[in-house]
Amino acid sequence: MTDVWTDALRGLRPRLGAETYDLWLRPLVMVGIDEGTVHLRAPSLFMKEWFENHYRDAVLEEMYTQTQVRYGIDVEVAEEGAVTPVRLEEPPAERAPAAKGRSSAPIGLSERYRFGTFIKGASNELGASAAHAVAEEPGKRFNPLFIYGGVGLGKTHLLHAVGHAMHERQPELRIVYLSAERFMNEFISAVRFNECDAFRKRYREDCDALLIDDIQFIAGRDRTMDEFFHVFNALYEAGKQIMVTADRTPSDMQGMEERITSRLNWGLVADIKPPDLETRVAILRQKAEDERIAMADDVAVLLASLVRSNVRELEGALVRVSTFAALKGVPITHEFVREVIGDSGPAARSGQQVTVEAIQKAVAAYFSVRIADLKGQRRHKGVARPRMIAMFLSRELTGASFPEIGLRFGGKDHSTVINACRRIAEIQGQDSELRAILTALRQNLGATSC
Ligand code: ADP
Ligand code: MG
């Protein structure tokens, strides 16, 4: 039997990624539900606070999406050996805000991708303005609206934002959002199971606005292109809004039928370019604020000038910096950002890459243990602790993935590495001796401490 917590995690996992999930969510267990509050138990205060600051809202949102019930979450910290009775009850039905007469939010739209969280700048101004116009007057101004640009520049975000905004203004509109890949898969299975009528009804008739992400995907897939062509015509003739995104212009999509590219050019074709520095800084500030990450303005400028390629990379960099800072219990300074992002980080400064092997060697020498012991299975404290420290430093200084570190430590499971990193991060908060050891080891490895 599943429960609301497990279901929510299952739903979030693809979005958060396996690593984040293993590190921050899996260790929390549900111990009961009452009065619409889900009770969780975290293994430590650190884990509890991290969860509350970073993931609680996403989990609540996901629970709401799945159940239409506004739950609360209460997290307790486990005391060793304590057993809390598990009590499972039905969620209180009267709490569900059954929005009768209002169609539910369009399926598949992410809560995070709204106009309110989309930063406008010179690089995306045209696309963002057109998206607003489309959301305000679907089918009137720019039809179809075609947004194109490189990866991680906000196309999907804008598409979702249009879906949300349209729905909020006109809840009765039947908005259909999906990726072109899903459109193709649904179409293929409709053909296979003789459900073409239902498919056509859904996309040609029961649809007031069609939002399709990454349309380039159907290029070269003849039957899907043919189907899309008919869907397009039916909607267009009925004055329904069509909005699509792609990684290039209609004419540049090789293998796309000419009758489709010409139609995609009928409305407005708007590009999104990589954001300039000012926009990158604004995006960083917003994300930091959302995630309650304390970061000075000049540090945001530094980070934004180090990561230029796209917004997704920028977000990834922020997550890395803030995760490391939290693990180490240090503020996010200039030096720290440089070190984590690597512009003139420890490896670059000492002119050589810090490797897992070098870390094992340094740790073994420091504690007078054998490298074979670090890679072995013995749990004796004299070995177990240096091993955890070596894993922790491997993660910090080389950025290698948990599974990779596990492999290099004698083929251990990635969860062992995750636990080790978490233990060390926790203990060093209270243990000044451990902090001093880590500092010394970083220096030995040519990495300045921070
Ligand atoms: P694309 O679909 O173009 O590959 P996404 O829409 O998935 O890119 O954007 C990647 C990430 O960057 C998302 O988390 C998105 O919220 C964020 N992002 C992109 N552009 C902006 C922006 N202008 N303001 C705020 N966040 C943005
Ligand atoms: Mg996308």
Side-chain angles (χ1 to χ4, degrees), residues 1 13 20 34 62 67 89 93 140 165 241 348 359 384 431:
M1 203 189 88
R13 199 185 147 131
T20 301
D34 61 60
E62 180 69 21
T67 64
E89 282 174 11
K140 302 253 158 38
Q241 179 70 46
I359 291 168
D431 185 339

Side-chain angles (χ1 to χ4, degrees), residues 113 117-119 124 152-157 287 311-312 315:
Y113 296 163
T117 53
F118 190 85
I119 305 276
N124 59 36
L153 297 181
K155 304 183 296 293
T156 298
H157 189 136
K287 304 268 170 199
V311 183
R312 191 173 292 136
E315 288 180 349

Side-chain angles (χ1 to χ4, degrees), residues 24 45-55 322-323 326:
W24 305 112
L45 184 61
F46 177 75
M47 292 289 296
K48 167 182 154 83
E49 287 177 347
W50 188 276
F51 170 78
E52 289 175 342
N53 289 334
H54 295 87
Y55 302 115
S322 63
T323 305

Side-chain angles (χ1 to χ4, degrees), residues 47 323-324 385 397 418 430:
M47 292 289 296
T323 305
F324 282 152
R385 186 136 175 188
L397 300 176
I418 290 173
Q430 299 107 44

Side-chain angles (χ1 to χ4, degrees), residues 4-261:
V4 57
W5 166 246
T6 312
D7 289 343
L9 292 194
R10 202 169 287 148
L12 280 172
R13 199 185 147 131
R15 248 186 286 154
L16 296 175
E19 212 169 73
T20 301
Y21 174 82
D22 282 344
L23 189 54
W24 305 112
L25 292 174
R26 210 167 53 146
L28 275 68
V29 290
M30 186 172 104
V31 292
I33 297 186
D34 61 60
E35 318 260 338
T37 298
V38 176
H39 295 273
L40 302 177
R41 189 191 298 137
S44 66
L45 184 61
F46 177 75
M47 292 289 296
K48 167 182 154 83
E49 287 177 347
W50 188 276
F51 170 78
E52 289 175 342
N53 289 334
H54 295 87
Y55 302 115
R56 191 216 307 253
D57 292 350
V59 170
L60 287 173
E61 210 55 74
E62 180 69 21
M63 286 176 173
Y64 179 67
T65 306
Q66 291 184 5
T67 64
Q68 299 293 300
V69 175
R70 290 264 175 229
Y71 283 97
I73 289 186
D74 188 67
V75 189
E76 63 179 34
V77 177
E79 289 167 33
E80 265 174 21
V83 183
T84 311
V86 175
R87 192 151 55 97
L88 289 176
E89 282 174 11
E90 287 294 305
E94 69 278 8
R95 277 195 155 219
K100 284 256 156 59
R102 225 183 143 205
S103 63
S104 58
I107 293 171
L109 297 183
S110 162
E111 274 309 313
R112 288 166 41 228
Y113 296 163
R114 291 175 175 275
F115 280 130
T117 53
F118 190 85
I119 305 276
K120 268 199 198 182
S123 57
N124 59 36
E125 192 141 33
L126 179 63
S129 308
H132 273 282
V134 157
E136 272 159 32
E137 294 179 87
K140 302 253 158 38
R141 305 268 300 278
F142 305 115
N143 203 18
L145 174 59
F146 186 99
I147 306 265
Y148 74 94
V151 295
L153 297 181
K155 304 183 296 293
T156 298
H157 189 136
L158 273 183
L159 197 62
H160 285 224
V162 166
H164 284 301
M166 271 183 186
H167 176 68
E168 273 149 27
R169 295 176 65 91
Q170 293 175 264
E172 71 286 356
L173 276 191
R174 294 162 303 174
I175 301 163
V176 177
Y177 160 83
L178 79 173
S179 66
E181 181 175 9
R182 176 125 169 256
F183 180 85
M184 184 186 84
N185 289 337
E186 280 189 17
F187 175 62
I188 290 173
S189 80
V191 171
R192 179 175 314 148
F193 297 109
N194 261 328
E195 285 170 353
C196 288
D197 287 348
F199 182 90
R200 292 190 175 136
K201 186 165 178 313
R202 172 166 165 73
Y203 292 103
R204 298 187 197 181
E205 292 162 33
D206 297 349
C207 173
D208 299 317
L210 179 63
L211 313 174
I212 296 200
D213 209 359
D214 291 319
I215 193 72
Q216 76 274 357
F217 187 85
I218 67 166
R221 322 217 182 206
D222 292 345
R223 293 196 64 183
T224 307
M225 283 194 290
D226 189 53
E227 185 60 31
F228 177 73
F229 173 74
H230 292 295
V231 167
F232 185 102
N233 289 342
L235 295 178
Y236 189 84
E237 276 156 27
K240 307 294 174 65
Q241 179 70 46
I242 300 161
M243 175 171 171
V244 297
T245 69
D247 63 355
R248 62 200 76 179
T249 65
S251 319
D252 284 342
M253 288 190 287
Q254 286 194 2
M256 193 67 98
E257 283 177 11
E258 151 58 27
R259 56 183 183 160
I260 294 182
T261 45

